[in-house]
Amino acid sequence: MAFTLAIGDLAPQFTLKSTTGDMQSLGDFTQDLLVIFFTCNHCPYVTGSDESTRKTAERFAKDGVDFVAINSNSVNTYAEDSYAHMIMRMAEHHFPWCYLHDETQAIAKAYGALRTPHFYVFNKARQLVYTGRAIDTPRAYENATTFELDNTLEALIAGNAVATSITNPIGCNVKWDGKDAHWMPGDACDLV
């Protein structure tokens, strides 16, 4: 079995604490399309592309697309990825998505998150229709030449098939608790 979810797989269930203090579950997000992305507070690929992700989330909100961010990084590896820092980051940036804390890393393992950021797009039936990156230059979004996440959402909203359903996410690896900061699971690999 591959480490990361395969196209057509159902979104694994979760119940996680949000930066508002509320518990949020998969079923709480009811729009036709759902974008779940694994992120964090410190990664330069995340901070370098957050404004691009914001534009995408704002652009597609009217089309029935929910955005959910999940931070699964170990606070023991990067103190900046703590829940308290998540709250501070949302208060500072007012991102248009729900930001959830996967303290046990169980959800990152269930989805097979490889990098920060790593995007997953699910249809109304919550089947995976896209996994990978949002853009090709997440460390400097203003230099992007490809917009895979936008292209995916445009196609789905228009009722069309997704042209490219798998790309390699670009970013830092998820920071797994008790592991070296650059450790990747043995069965994790590039998607394409």
Side-chain angles (χ1 to χ4, degrees):
M1 181 177 147
F3 180 75
T4 302
L5 290 178
I7 298 302
D9 285 352
L10 291 175
Q13 296 291 329
F14 60 78
T15 300
L16 297 170
K17 190 174 186 178
S18 78
T19 52
T20 64
D22 298 323
M23 300 303 289
Q24 298 285 326
S25 298
L26 179 66
D28 294 330
F29 304 98
T30 58
Q31 296 294 336
D32 287 348
L33 297 174
L34 175 62
V35 177
I36 294 176
F37 63 106
F38 289 82
T39 188
C40 65
N41 299 325
H42 84 278
C43 171
Y45 295 91
V46 167
T47 60
S49 61
D50 272 338
E51 289 308 311
S52 176
T53 306
R54 178 197 302 274
K55 288 178 184 176
T56 299
E58 290 174 345
R59 174 183 172 198
F60 291 101
K62 69 183 184 324
D63 295 308
V65 182
D66 274 329
F67 274 71
V68 178
I70 300 176
N71 175 15
S72 300
N73 275 4
S74 169
V75 69
N76 297 319
T77 307
Y78 273 91
E80 304 96 316
D81 285 329
S82 71
Y83 178 71
H85 282 94
M86 291 171 59
I87 294 170
M88 290 168 32
R89 194 151 192 275
M90 285 297 279
E92 178 182 354
H93 296 284
H94 305 286
F95 293 123
W97 49 74
C98 182
Y99 195 13
L100 305 177
H101 190 212
D102 177 23
E103 185 175 9
T104 69
Q105 302 188 306
I107 305 309
K109 289 175 185 168
Y111 281 74
L114 296 174
R115 307 250 174 228
T116 55
H118 187 165
F119 292 83
Y120 297 80
V121 179
F122 297 92
N123 63 18
K124 183 69 171 174
R126 295 306 180 243
Q127 295 170 303
L128 184 67
V129 293
Y130 174 80
T131 185
R133 63 181 170 258
I135 57 175
D136 61 340
T137 60
R139 200 163 179 153
Y141 78 91
E142 61 277 3
N143 297 330
T145 60
T146 66
F147 301 88
E148 289 86 356
L149 181 59
D150 283 36
N151 294 344
T152 295
L153 296 174
E154 286 170 359
L156 293 168
I157 290 164
N160 298 325
V162 176
T164 302
S165 58
I166 301 173
T167 60
N168 285 324
I170 300 171
C172 299
N173 60 301
V174 173
K175 304 308 180 198
W176 299 100
D177 195 42
K179 303 292 185 184
D180 175 84
H182 300 287
W183 181 83
M184 292 284 281
D187 52 352
C189 60
D190 286 342
L191 301 179
V192 291

